[in-house]
Amino acid sequence: MEPSDELRELIRQVTEHLRYCCEIGITHLSEPPQVAPVSSSARAAQLSSDRRADSSNPRVGINEALTPEPQAASPLRREPQPAPMTKSINTGTAPSLFGDLAAPAVEEEFANETLEDIRAEMGDCQRCKLWKTRTKLVFGEGNPKAELMFVGEAPGADEDRTGRPFVGRAGQLLTKMIEAIGMKREEVYIANVIKSRPPGNRDPEKDEVEACSPFLFRQIAAIRPRLIVTLGNPATQALLSTRTGISRMRGEFQDYPRIAGIKVLPTFHPAYLLRSPDKKREAWEDLKKVRAFLRGEIQA
């Protein structure tokens, strides 16, 4: 190594050391102890002695010679402290719109809840800013022991007025979809990720989802459906913690990540089908899979 290369390497090591000291809060370094200069003849004698010692030790091979000696713990390094233990409602993971919701499943803490318990705890919910503009909270409705559950994004104007999910034009289409697979609306359970209508039917914001989605997860834990059909991108992303769009995921069975044994099948939202009727054929193919799964004709 050329002297200039040695100097650059020394500067790099010193710079890294100083940066580390700054990161852990050390801003003043004491002067190093003074070391008496070593003459060139003494240095040469020491080097010759070291070489003779190495050659006389046959147990030291090339691998051992290149392996650095273990270093003692630096007195400057601080040991990581354990995080304080807290109890909170866990919400799973949902990136993009739904932010970072990563945590264990909620059913461990709320395994014996009923839908009535959850609704009572929500009360006149004011956990996010949507309470200021909503008319009625839309909790969900249907069979509390349903095998099939539908999950949408948020209430619209008709839902906000009545307090019931999916009762507007999109809801009427959803009812027809349910009937098309030989079931009645009363046999399934219908809910949304958000329980209060966003003004102007805008997309829910991250803080609104973080405040409301734990109650949806608790509803699922109380119902324990065999299959959840997610309607559109937001509901699919919230339940499956994914950025993948509905066009790529629709019609493909997924595992619900919070409770083993529950399957999720994404499909188009009825409101989207009203705007794009050419997609109804694809949605019908998805519904036929739902019917076949519930009848035990296919395995997910």
Side-chain angles (χ1 to χ4, degrees), residues 89-126:
I89 296 177
N90 299 316
T91 53
T93 300
S96 67
L97 165 66
F98 295 93
D100 182 11
L101 304 177
V106 297
E107 71 275 5
E108 296 178 3
E109 185 173 355
F110 303 101
N112 299 318
E113 276 190 320
T114 65
L115 293 174
E116 290 77 12
D117 295 332
I118 302 168
R119 182 64 186 90
E121 183 175 332
M122 289 195 74
D124 184 25
C125 186
Q126 299 181 10

PDB file of all heavy atoms in Angstrom, residues 89-126:
ATOM      1  N   ILE A  89     -54.510  -1.405  21.459  1.00  0.00           N
ATOM      2  CA  ILE A  89     -55.271  -2.179  20.483  1.00  0.00           C
ATOM      3  C   ILE A  89     -54.387  -2.391  19.277  1.00  0.00           C
ATOM      4  O   ILE A  89     -53.909  -1.447  18.676  1.00  0.00           O
ATOM      5  CB  ILE A  89     -56.549  -1.437  20.080  1.00  0.00           C
ATOM      6  CG1 ILE A  89     -57.470  -1.303  21.297  1.00  0.00           C
ATOM      7  CG2 ILE A  89     -57.260  -2.164  18.950  1.00  0.00           C
ATOM      8  CD1 ILE A  89     -58.728  -0.533  21.015  1.00  0.00           C
ATOM      9  N   ASN A  90     -54.105  -3.641  18.921  1.00  0.00           N
ATOM     10  CA  ASN A  90     -53.244  -3.937  17.798  1.00  0.00           C
ATOM     11  C   ASN A  90     -54.041  -3.947  16.510  1.00  0.00           C
ATOM     12  O   ASN A  90     -55.210  -4.282  16.487  1.00  0.00           O
ATOM     13  CB  ASN A  90     -52.582  -5.305  18.006  1.00  0.00           C
ATOM     14  CG  ASN A  90     -51.740  -5.305  19.254  1.00  0.00           C
ATOM     15  OD1 ASN A  90     -51.002  -4.377  19.507  1.00  0.00           O
ATOM     16  ND2 ASN A  90     -51.868  -6.360  20.044  1.00  0.00           N
ATOM     17  N   THR A  91     -53.379  -3.579  15.414  1.00  0.00           N
ATOM     18  CA  THR A  91     -54.142  -3.334  14.201  1.00  0.00           C
ATOM     19  C   THR A  91     -53.581  -3.965  12.960  1.00  0.00           C
ATOM     20  O   THR A  91     -54.102  -3.739  11.879  1.00  0.00           O
ATOM     21  CB  THR A  91     -54.227  -1.818  13.958  1.00  0.00           C
ATOM     22  OG1 THR A  91     -52.915  -1.264  13.981  1.00  0.00           O
ATOM     23  CG2 THR A  91     -55.060  -1.155  15.023  1.00  0.00           C
ATOM     24  N   GLY A  92     -52.493  -4.743  13.002  1.00  0.00           N
ATOM     25  CA  GLY A  92     -51.998  -5.334  11.771  1.00  0.00           C
ATOM     26  C   GLY A  92     -51.248  -4.354  10.902  1.00  0.00           C
ATOM     27  O   GLY A  92     -50.991  -3.239  11.288  1.00  0.00           O
ATOM     28  N   THR A  93     -50.914  -4.763   9.706  1.00  0.00           N
ATOM     29  CA  THR A  93     -50.148  -3.933   8.813  1.00  0.00           C
ATOM     30  C   THR A  93     -50.924  -3.574   7.569  1.00  0.00           C
ATOM     31  O   THR A  93     -51.459  -4.425   6.932  1.00  0.00           O
ATOM     32  CB  THR A  93     -48.863  -4.658   8.388  1.00  0.00           C
ATOM     33  OG1 THR A  93     -48.129  -4.913   9.538  1.00  0.00           O
ATOM     34  CG2 THR A  93     -48.057  -3.831   7.429  1.00  0.00           C
ATOM     35  N   ALA A  94     -50.904  -2.280   7.254  1.00  0.00           N
ATOM     36  CA  ALA A  94     -51.507  -1.858   6.014  1.00  0.00           C
ATOM     37  C   ALA A  94     -50.793  -0.646   5.492  1.00  0.00           C
ATOM     38  O   ALA A  94     -50.957   0.436   6.010  1.00  0.00           O
ATOM     39  CB  ALA A  94     -52.965  -1.529   6.242  1.00  0.00           C
ATOM     40  N   PRO A  95     -49.948  -0.789   4.465  1.00  0.00           N
ATOM     41  CA  PRO A  95     -49.176   0.336   3.977  1.00  0.00           C
ATOM     42  C   PRO A  95     -50.007   1.297   3.156  1.00  0.00           C
ATOM     43  O   PRO A  95     -51.213   1.198   3.062  1.00  0.00           O
ATOM     44  CB  PRO A  95     -48.099  -0.333   3.134  1.00  0.00           C
ATOM     45  CG  PRO A  95     -48.676  -1.628   2.736  1.00  0.00           C
ATOM     46  CD  PRO A  95     -49.629  -2.031   3.823  1.00  0.00           C
ATOM     47  N   SER A  96     -49.323   2.240   2.492  1.00  0.00           N
ATOM     48  CA  SER A  96     -49.891   3.287   1.644  1.00  0.00           C
ATOM     49  C   SER A  96     -50.929   4.068   2.428  1.00  0.00           C
ATOM     50  O   SER A  96     -50.643   4.635   3.466  1.00  0.00           O
ATOM     51  CB  SER A  96     -50.453   2.699   0.349  1.00  0.00           C
ATOM     52  OG  SER A  96     -51.579   1.881   0.596  1.00  0.00           O
ATOM     53  N   LEU A  97     -52.176   4.084   1.946  1.00  0.00           N
ATOM     54  CA  LEU A  97     -53.230   4.862   2.593  1.00  0.00           C
ATOM     55  C   LEU A  97     -53.378   4.499   4.061  1.00  0.00           C
ATOM     56  O   LEU A  97     -53.624   5.344   4.906  1.00  0.00           O
ATOM     57  CB  LEU A  97     -54.555   4.615   1.865  1.00  0.00           C
ATOM     58  CG  LEU A  97     -55.836   5.054   2.586  1.00  0.00           C
ATOM     59  CD1 LEU A  97     -55.847   6.571   2.703  1.00  0.00           C
ATOM     60  CD2 LEU A  97     -57.061   4.584   1.818  1.00  0.00           C
ATOM     61  N   PHE A  98     -53.194   3.239   4.402  1.00  0.00           N
ATOM     62  CA  PHE A  98     -53.496   2.779   5.747  1.00  0.00           C
ATOM     63  C   PHE A  98     -52.299   2.815   6.682  1.00  0.00           C
ATOM     64  O   PHE A  98     -52.359   2.343   7.798  1.00  0.00           O
ATOM     65  CB  PHE A  98     -54.100   1.367   5.679  1.00  0.00           C
ATOM     66  CG  PHE A  98     -55.406   1.366   4.977  1.00  0.00           C
ATOM     67  CD1 PHE A  98     -55.472   1.114   3.623  1.00  0.00           C
ATOM     68  CD2 PHE A  98     -56.555   1.676   5.655  1.00  0.00           C
ATOM     69  CE1 PHE A  98     -56.685   1.148   2.962  1.00  0.00           C
ATOM     70  CE2 PHE A  98     -57.773   1.709   5.012  1.00  0.00           C
ATOM     71  CZ  PHE A  98     -57.837   1.449   3.660  1.00  0.00           C
ATOM     72  N   GLY A  99     -51.162   3.376   6.233  1.00  0.00           N
ATOM     73  CA  GLY A  99     -50.051   3.599   7.125  1.00  0.00           C
ATOM     74  C   GLY A  99     -49.481   2.330   7.700  1.00  0.00           C
ATOM     75  O   GLY A  99     -49.686   1.238   7.205  1.00  0.00           O
ATOM     76  N   ASP A 100     -48.743   2.496   8.795  1.00  0.00           N
ATOM     77  CA  ASP A 100     -48.092   1.365   9.435  1.00  0.00           C
ATOM     78  C   ASP A 100     -48.972   0.879  10.566  1.00  0.00           C
ATOM     79  O   ASP A 100     -49.036   1.465  11.623  1.00  0.00           O
ATOM     80  CB  ASP A 100     -46.715   1.794   9.959  1.00  0.00           C
ATOM     81  CG  ASP A 100     -45.974   0.638  10.597  1.00  0.00           C
ATOM     82  OD1 ASP A 100     -46.436  -0.502  10.438  1.00  0.00           O
ATOM     83  OD2 ASP A 100     -44.950   0.876  11.243  1.00  0.00           O
ATOM     84  N   LEU A 101     -49.649  -0.251  10.361  1.00  0.00           N
ATOM     85  CA  LEU A 101     -50.549  -0.803  11.366  1.00  0.00           C
ATOM     86  C   LEU A 101     -50.038  -2.141  11.890  1.00  0.00           C
ATOM     87  O   LEU A 101     -50.806  -2.980  12.311  1.00  0.00           O
ATOM     88  CB  LEU A 101     -51.956  -0.989  10.776  1.00  0.00           C
ATOM     89  CG  LEU A 101     -52.594   0.262  10.188  1.00  0.00           C
ATOM     90  CD1 LEU A 101     -53.953  -0.088   9.582  1.00  0.00           C
ATOM     91  CD2 LEU A 101     -52.767   1.335  11.231  1.00  0.00           C
ATOM     92  N   ALA A 102     -48.729  -2.358  11.807  1.00  0.00           N
ATOM     93  CA  ALA A 102     -48.171  -3.669  12.122  1.00  0.00           C
ATOM     94  C   ALA A 102     -48.270  -3.974  13.617  1.00  0.00           C
ATOM     95  O   ALA A 102     -47.844  -3.206  14.455  1.00  0.00           O
ATOM     96  CB  ALA A 102     -46.710  -3.730  11.697  1.00  0.00           C
ATOM     97  N   ALA A 103     -48.857  -5.132  13.962  1.00  0.00           N
ATOM     98  CA  ALA A 103     -48.954  -5.574  15.350  1.00  0.00           C
ATOM     99  C   ALA A 103     -49.621  -6.935  15.367  1.00  0.00           C
ATOM    100  O   ALA A 103     -50.192  -7.376  14.381  1.00  0.00           O
ATOM    101  CB  ALA A 103     -49.760  -4.570  16.173  1.00  0.00           C
ATOM    102  N   PRO A 104     -49.544  -7.669  16.499  1.00  0.00           N
ATOM    103  CA  PRO A 104     -50.225  -8.963  16.579  1.00  0.00           C
ATOM    104  C   PRO A 104     -51.732  -8.818  16.431  1.00  0.00           C
ATOM    105  O   PRO A 104     -52.286  -7.730  16.531  1.00  0.00           O
ATOM    106  CB  PRO A 104     -49.844  -9.463  17.986  1.00  0.00           C
ATOM    107  CG  PRO A 104     -48.619  -8.715  18.333  1.00  0.00           C
ATOM    108  CD  PRO A 104     -48.740  -7.379  17.668  1.00  0.00           C
ATOM    109  N   ALA A 105     -52.391  -9.919  16.227  1.00  0.00           N
ATOM    110  CA  ALA A 105     -53.826  -9.908  15.962  1.00  0.00           C
ATOM    111  C   ALA A 105     -54.625  -9.496  17.189  1.00  0.00           C
ATOM    112  O   ALA A 105     -54.263  -9.765  18.322  1.00  0.00           O
ATOM    113  CB  ALA A 105     -54.261 -11.289  15.489  1.00  0.00           C
ATOM    114  N   VAL A 106     -55.776  -8.847  16.947  1.00  0.00           N
ATOM    115  CA  VAL A 106     -56.580  -8.341  18.045  1.00  0.00           C
ATOM    116  C   VAL A 106     -57.347  -9.435  18.757  1.00  0.00           C
ATOM    117  O   VAL A 106     -57.769  -9.247  19.896  1.00  0.00           O
ATOM    118  CB  VAL A 106     -57.572  -7.276  17.537  1.00  0.00           C
ATOM    119  CG1 VAL A 106     -56.844  -6.093  16.971  1.00  0.00           C
ATOM    120  CG2 VAL A 106     -58.499  -7.871  16.502  1.00  0.00           C
ATOM    121  N   GLU A 107     -57.585 -10.579  18.103  1.00  0.00           N
ATOM    122  CA  GLU A 107     -58.451 -11.576  18.731  1.00  0.00           C
ATOM    123  C   GLU A 107     -57.849 -12.156  20.004  1.00  0.00           C
ATOM    124  O   GLU A 107     -58.559 -12.702  20.837  1.00  0.00           O
ATOM    125  CB  GLU A 107     -58.768 -12.709  17.746  1.00  0.00           C
ATOM    126  CG  GLU A 107     -57.610 -13.621  17.446  1.00  0.00           C
ATOM    127  CD  GLU A 107     -56.742 -13.066  16.327  1.00  0.00           C
ATOM    128  OE1 GLU A 107     -57.015 -11.946  15.884  1.00  0.00           O
ATOM    129  OE2 GLU A 107     -55.804 -13.752  15.919  1.00  0.00           O
ATOM    130  N   GLU A 108     -56.535 -12.032  20.190  1.00  0.00           N
ATOM    131  CA  GLU A 108     -55.915 -12.536  21.416  1.00  0.00           C
ATOM    132  C   GLU A 108     -56.427 -11.772  22.636  1.00  0.00           C
ATOM    133  O   GLU A 108     -56.588 -12.329  23.704  1.00  0.00           O
ATOM    134  CB  GLU A 108     -54.396 -12.428  21.301  1.00  0.00           C
ATOM    135  CG  GLU A 108     -53.800 -13.296  20.201  1.00  0.00           C
ATOM    136  CD  GLU A 108     -52.306 -13.120  20.089  1.00  0.00           C
ATOM    137  OE1 GLU A 108     -51.739 -12.367  20.904  1.00  0.00           O
ATOM    138  OE2 GLU A 108     -51.705 -13.731  19.196  1.00  0.00           O
ATOM    139  N   GLU A 109     -56.656 -10.473  22.474  1.00  0.00           N
ATOM    140  CA  GLU A 109     -57.115  -9.664  23.600  1.00  0.00           C
ATOM    141  C   GLU A 109     -58.633  -9.604  23.699  1.00  0.00           C
ATOM    142  O   GLU A 109     -59.188  -9.415  24.772  1.00  0.00           O
ATOM    143  CB  GLU A 109     -56.553  -8.233  23.468  1.00  0.00           C
ATOM    144  CG  GLU A 109     -56.866  -7.338  24.654  1.00  0.00           C
ATOM    145  CD  GLU A 109     -56.157  -6.000  24.555  1.00  0.00           C
ATOM    146  OE1 GLU A 109     -55.362  -5.827  23.621  1.00  0.00           O
ATOM    147  OE2 GLU A 109     -56.402  -5.155  25.426  1.00  0.00           O
ATOM    148  N   PHE A 110     -59.315  -9.782  22.557  1.00  0.00           N
ATOM    149  CA  PHE A 110     -60.765  -9.616  22.533  1.00  0.00           C
ATOM    150  C   PHE A 110     -61.464 -10.884  22.056  1.00  0.00           C
ATOM    151  O   PHE A 110     -62.442 -10.836  21.317  1.00  0.00           O
ATOM    152  CB  PHE A 110     -61.135  -8.438  21.622  1.00  0.00           C
ATOM    153  CG  PHE A 110     -60.493  -7.142  22.021  1.00  0.00           C
ATOM    154  CD1 PHE A 110     -59.376  -6.682  21.353  1.00  0.00           C
ATOM    155  CD2 PHE A 110     -60.990  -6.391  23.072  1.00  0.00           C
ATOM    156  CE1 PHE A 110     -58.779  -5.485  21.709  1.00  0.00           C
ATOM    157  CE2 PHE A 110     -60.402  -5.199  23.441  1.00  0.00           C
ATOM    158  CZ  PHE A 110     -59.286  -4.745  22.760  1.00  0.00           C
ATOM    159  N   ALA A 111     -60.954 -12.030  22.476  1.00  0.00           N
ATOM    160  CA  ALA A 111     -61.439 -13.309  21.949  1.00  0.00           C
ATOM    161  C   ALA A 111     -62.892 -13.588  22.317  1.00  0.00           C
ATOM    162  O   ALA A 111     -63.599 -14.257  21.575  1.00  0.00           O
ATOM    163  CB  ALA A 111     -60.543 -14.445  22.449  1.00  0.00           C
ATOM    164  N   ASN A 112     -63.352 -13.096  23.441  1.00  0.00           N
ATOM    165  CA  ASN A 112     -64.697 -13.439  23.909  1.00  0.00           C
ATOM    166  C   ASN A 112     -65.701 -12.307  23.721  1.00  0.00           C
ATOM    167  O   ASN A 112     -66.779 -12.328  24.317  1.00  0.00           O
ATOM    168  CB  ASN A 112     -64.632 -13.836  25.391  1.00  0.00           C
ATOM    169  CG  ASN A 112     -63.756 -15.057  25.613  1.00  0.00           C
ATOM    170  OD1 ASN A 112     -63.820 -16.009  24.846  1.00  0.00           O
ATOM    171  ND2 ASN A 112     -62.938 -15.020  26.651  1.00  0.00           N
ATOM    172  N   GLU A 113     -65.379 -11.330  22.911  1.00  0.00           N
ATOM    173  CA  GLU A 113     -66.292 -10.213  22.689  1.00  0.00           C
ATOM    174  C   GLU A 113     -67.477 -10.609  21.813  1.00  0.00           C
ATOM    175  O   GLU A 113     -67.390 -11.530  21.001  1.00  0.00           O
ATOM    176  CB  GLU A 113     -65.556  -9.068  21.975  1.00  0.00           C
ATOM    177  CG  GLU A 113     -64.784  -8.160  22.890  1.00  0.00           C
ATOM    178  CD  GLU A 113     -64.307  -6.932  22.136  1.00  0.00           C
ATOM    179  OE1 GLU A 113     -63.892  -7.061  20.970  1.00  0.00           O
ATOM    180  OE2 GLU A 113     -64.344  -5.845  22.730  1.00  0.00           O
ATOM    181  N   THR A 114     -68.552  -9.870  21.949  1.00  0.00           N
ATOM    182  CA  THR A 114     -69.678  -9.960  21.026  1.00  0.00           C
ATOM    183  C   THR A 114     -69.743  -8.648  20.246  1.00  0.00           C
ATOM    184  O   THR A 114     -69.125  -7.640  20.620  1.00  0.00           O
ATOM    185  CB  THR A 114     -70.996 -10.176  21.771  1.00  0.00           C
ATOM    186  OG1 THR A 114     -71.281  -9.006  22.572  1.00  0.00           O
ATOM    187  CG2 THR A 114     -70.918 -11.398  22.673  1.00  0.00           C
ATOM    188  N   LEU A 115     -70.525  -8.667  19.171  1.00  0.00           N
ATOM    189  CA  LEU A 115     -70.709  -7.436  18.412  1.00  0.00           C
ATOM    190  C   LEU A 115     -71.360  -6.355  19.275  1.00  0.00           C
ATOM    191  O   LEU A 115     -71.054  -5.162  19.128  1.00  0.00           O
ATOM    192  CB  LEU A 115     -71.569  -7.715  17.181  1.00  0.00           C
ATOM    193  CG  LEU A 115     -70.925  -8.617  16.120  1.00  0.00           C
ATOM    194  CD1 LEU A 115     -71.932  -8.945  15.026  1.00  0.00           C
ATOM    195  CD2 LEU A 115     -69.687  -7.956  15.513  1.00  0.00           C
ATOM    196  N   GLU A 116     -72.215  -6.754  20.180  1.00  0.00           N
ATOM    197  CA  GLU A 116     -72.854  -5.791  21.073  1.00  0.00           C
ATOM    198  C   GLU A 116     -71.818  -5.129  21.983  1.00  0.00           C
ATOM    199  O   GLU A 116     -71.900  -3.923  22.268  1.00  0.00           O
ATOM    200  CB  GLU A 116     -73.930  -6.477  21.923  1.00  0.00           C
ATOM    201  CG  GLU A 116     -75.173  -6.902  21.136  1.00  0.00           C
ATOM    202  CD  GLU A 116     -74.938  -8.176  20.314  1.00  0.00           C
ATOM    203  OE1 GLU A 116     -73.916  -8.853  20.528  1.00  0.00           O
ATOM    204  OE2 GLU A 116     -75.797  -8.473  19.460  1.00  0.00           O
ATOM    205  N   ASP A 117     -70.848  -5.920  22.451  1.00  0.00           N
ATOM    206  CA  ASP A 117     -69.785  -5.353  23.290  1.00  0.00           C
ATOM    207  C   ASP A 117     -69.002  -4.284  22.522  1.00  0.00           C
ATOM    208  O   ASP A 117     -68.695  -3.209  23.060  1.00  0.00           O
ATOM    209  CB  ASP A 117     -68.824  -6.454  23.738  1.00  0.00           C
ATOM    210  CG  ASP A 117     -69.472  -7.478  24.646  1.00  0.00           C
ATOM    211  OD1 ASP A 117     -70.433  -7.111  25.352  1.00  0.00           O
ATOM    212  OD2 ASP A 117     -69.018  -8.636  24.652  1.00  0.00           O
ATOM    213  N   ILE A 118     -68.672  -4.599  21.282  1.00  0.00           N
ATOM    214  CA  ILE A 118     -67.875  -3.673  20.466  1.00  0.00           C
ATOM    215  C   ILE A 118     -68.659  -2.401  20.181  1.00  0.00           C
ATOM    216  O   ILE A 118     -68.125  -1.284  20.293  1.00  0.00           O
ATOM    217  CB  ILE A 118     -67.450  -4.352  19.151  1.00  0.00           C
ATOM    218  CG1 ILE A 118     -66.648  -5.620  19.452  1.00  0.00           C
ATOM    219  CG2 ILE A 118     -66.620  -3.400  18.293  1.00  0.00           C
ATOM    220  CD1 ILE A 118     -66.435  -6.515  18.243  1.00  0.00           C
ATOM    221  N   ARG A 119     -69.921  -2.553  19.826  1.00  0.00           N
ATOM    222  CA  ARG A 119     -70.745  -1.375  19.536  1.00  0.00           C
ATOM    223  C   ARG A 119     -70.908  -0.518  20.779  1.00  0.00           C
ATOM    224  O   ARG A 119     -70.872   0.734  20.705  1.00  0.00           O
ATOM    225  CB  ARG A 119     -72.124  -1.806  19.015  1.00  0.00           C
ATOM    226  CG  ARG A 119     -73.039  -0.627  18.649  1.00  0.00           C
ATOM    227  CD  ARG A 119     -72.437   0.148  17.499  1.00  0.00           C
ATOM    228  NE  ARG A 119     -73.208   1.362  17.201  1.00  0.00           N
ATOM    229  CZ  ARG A 119     -72.978   2.551  17.748  1.00  0.00           C
ATOM    230  NH1 ARG A 119     -72.005   2.687  18.654  1.00  0.00           N
ATOM    231  NH2 ARG A 119     -73.695   3.603  17.395  1.00  0.00           N
ATOM    232  N   ALA A 120     -71.076  -1.144  21.913  1.00  0.00           N
ATOM    233  CA  ALA A 120     -71.231  -0.378  23.150  1.00  0.00           C
ATOM    234  C   ALA A 120     -69.964   0.410  23.461  1.00  0.00           C
ATOM    235  O   ALA A 120     -70.031   1.553  23.931  1.00  0.00           O
ATOM    236  CB  ALA A 120     -71.588  -1.318  24.301  1.00  0.00           C
ATOM    237  N   GLU A 121     -68.796  -0.183  23.208  1.00  0.00           N
ATOM    238  CA  GLU A 121     -67.549   0.534  23.472  1.00  0.00           C
ATOM    239  C   GLU A 121     -67.355   1.704  22.521  1.00  0.00           C
ATOM    240  O   GLU A 121     -66.818   2.747  22.902  1.00  0.00           O
ATOM    241  CB  GLU A 121     -66.360  -0.416  23.359  1.00  0.00           C
ATOM    242  CG  GLU A 121     -65.040   0.261  23.692  1.00  0.00           C
ATOM    243  CD  GLU A 121     -63.880  -0.710  23.689  1.00  0.00           C
ATOM    244  OE1 GLU A 121     -64.093  -1.905  23.949  1.00  0.00           O
ATOM    245  OE2 GLU A 121     -62.740  -0.269  23.419  1.00  0.00           O
ATOM    246  N   MET A 122     -67.794   1.567  21.289  1.00  0.00           N
ATOM    247  CA  MET A 122     -67.664   2.677  20.345  1.00  0.00           C
ATOM    248  C   MET A 122     -68.521   3.858  20.773  1.00  0.00           C
ATOM    249  O   MET A 122     -68.095   5.009  20.675  1.00  0.00           O
ATOM    250  CB  MET A 122     -68.080   2.231  18.941  1.00  0.00           C
ATOM    251  CG  MET A 122     -67.118   1.274  18.274  1.00  0.00           C
ATOM    252  SD  MET A 122     -67.429   1.134  16.490  1.00  0.00           S
ATOM    253  CE  MET A 122     -66.782   2.714  15.935  1.00  0.00           C
ATOM    254  N   GLY A 123     -69.742   3.577  21.262  1.00  0.00           N
ATOM    255  CA  GLY A 123     -70.616   4.649  21.710  1.00  0.00           C
ATOM    256  C   GLY A 123     -70.819   5.692  20.617  1.00  0.00           C
ATOM    257  O   GLY A 123     -70.941   5.388  19.433  1.00  0.00           O
ATOM    258  N   ASP A 124     -70.852   6.962  21.020  1.00  0.00           N
ATOM    259  CA  ASP A 124     -70.924   8.083  20.071  1.00  0.00           C
ATOM    260  C   ASP A 124     -69.487   8.454  19.723  1.00  0.00           C
ATOM    261  O   ASP A 124     -68.962   9.475  20.163  1.00  0.00           O
ATOM    262  CB  ASP A 124     -71.666   9.254  20.699  1.00  0.00           C
ATOM    263  CG  ASP A 124     -71.842  10.407  19.722  1.00  0.00           C
ATOM    264  OD1 ASP A 124     -71.832  10.155  18.497  1.00  0.00           O
ATOM    265  OD2 ASP A 124     -71.962  11.565  20.173  1.00  0.00           O
ATOM    266  N   CYS A 125     -68.861   7.611  18.926  1.00  0.00           N
ATOM    267  CA  CYS A 125     -67.406   7.646  18.744  1.00  0.00           C
ATOM    268  C   CYS A 125     -66.911   9.014  18.278  1.00  0.00           C
ATOM    269  O   CYS A 125     -67.420   9.587  17.309  1.00  0.00           O
ATOM    270  CB  CYS A 125     -67.002   6.568  17.730  1.00  0.00           C
ATOM    271  SG  CYS A 125     -65.214   6.398  17.570  1.00  0.00           S
ATOM    272  N   GLN A 126     -65.890   9.507  18.975  1.00  0.00           N
ATOM    273  CA  GLN A 126     -65.244  10.766  18.615  1.00  0.00           C
ATOM    274  C   GLN A 126     -63.726  10.580  18.556  1.00  0.00           C
ATOM    275  O   GLN A 126     -62.958  11.482  18.876  1.00  0.00           O
ATOM    276  CB  GLN A 126     -65.616  11.860  19.614  1.00  0.00           C
ATOM    277  CG  GLN A 126     -67.103  12.146  19.679  1.00  0.00           C
ATOM    278  CD  GLN A 126     -67.457  13.254  20.648  1.00  0.00           C
ATOM    279  OE1 GLN A 126     -66.592  13.959  21.171  1.00  0.00           O
ATOM    280  NE2 GLN A 126     -68.756  13.417  20.912  1.00  0.00           N
TER     281      GLN A 126
END
